[in-house]
Amino acid sequence: MQTLPSFDELKKMAEDNPDALEALRLSMSEELIRHASAEMQPRLRAQLSHINHVIARGKNPNHTNILLMSELQQQLKRFAQALNAPDTLTEQQADIRAFPASPRQPDATTPKQTR
């Protein structure tokens, strides 16, 4: 398995070559997933995908860290709830979000007006 570089090396990489740091993050994540049990791999891939989406929403490194910290806090709350009151959990929990409004497309069943 790859060895994580020292903090100073990671800091230098973040300043000088952020693409290399991102490649390292992804390759180490993939390596960790490959070494996990077959049962855990789909869950870990889903978690990595979720993390990648959170990172993509970040406007700058500080914003990204705040978003990731918020996600971690939500996960810890769910974990604490599972430990302390497992009977109050439902099978699945989901946030329901509305799609952004888009310009209205002409309906295929509506006849077009001719002039």
Side-chain angles (χ1 to χ4, degrees):
M1 289 195 53
Q2 295 180 44
T3 303
L4 186 65
S6 70
F7 175 82
D8 291 332
E9 291 172 291
L10 291 170
K11 182 177 181 245
K12 183 165 178 42
M13 197 181 291
E15 293 168 349
D16 299 341
N17 195 351
D19 291 338
L21 181 61
E22 178 65 7
L24 176 66
R25 179 184 74 82
L26 292 173
S27 70
M28 290 189 83
S29 298
E30 284 298 325
E31 185 176 6
L32 181 72
I33 292 170
R34 278 194 313 274
H35 283 86
S37 68
E39 299 84 32
M40 284 300 297
Q41 287 184 13
R43 294 178 74 185
L44 291 171
R45 288 198 190 288
Q47 187 67 39
L48 178 59
S49 175
H50 179 71
I51 289 168
N52 289 340
H53 287 287
V54 171
I55 289 171
R57 286 193 339 244
K59 296 175 182 157
N60 58 54
N62 287 333
H63 185 236
T64 301
N65 283 334
I66 290 169
L67 292 174
L68 289 169
M69 186 172 55
S70 175
E71 287 293 321
L72 180 59
Q73 287 173 341
Q74 288 177 11
Q75 293 281 340
L76 289 173
K77 284 179 190 174
R78 286 187 208 119
F79 183 62
Q81 185 179 11
L83 289 176
N84 296 323
D87 54 329
T88 63
L89 293 176
T90 59
E91 282 264 331
Q92 294 182 338
Q93 296 179 357
D95 292 334
I96 299 174
R97 299 180 183 174
F99 285 107
S102 62
R104 185 145 170 86
Q105 298 293 323
D107 198 13
T109 60
T110 306
K112 293 183 179 179
Q113 295 180 0
T114 57
R115 293 182 189 206

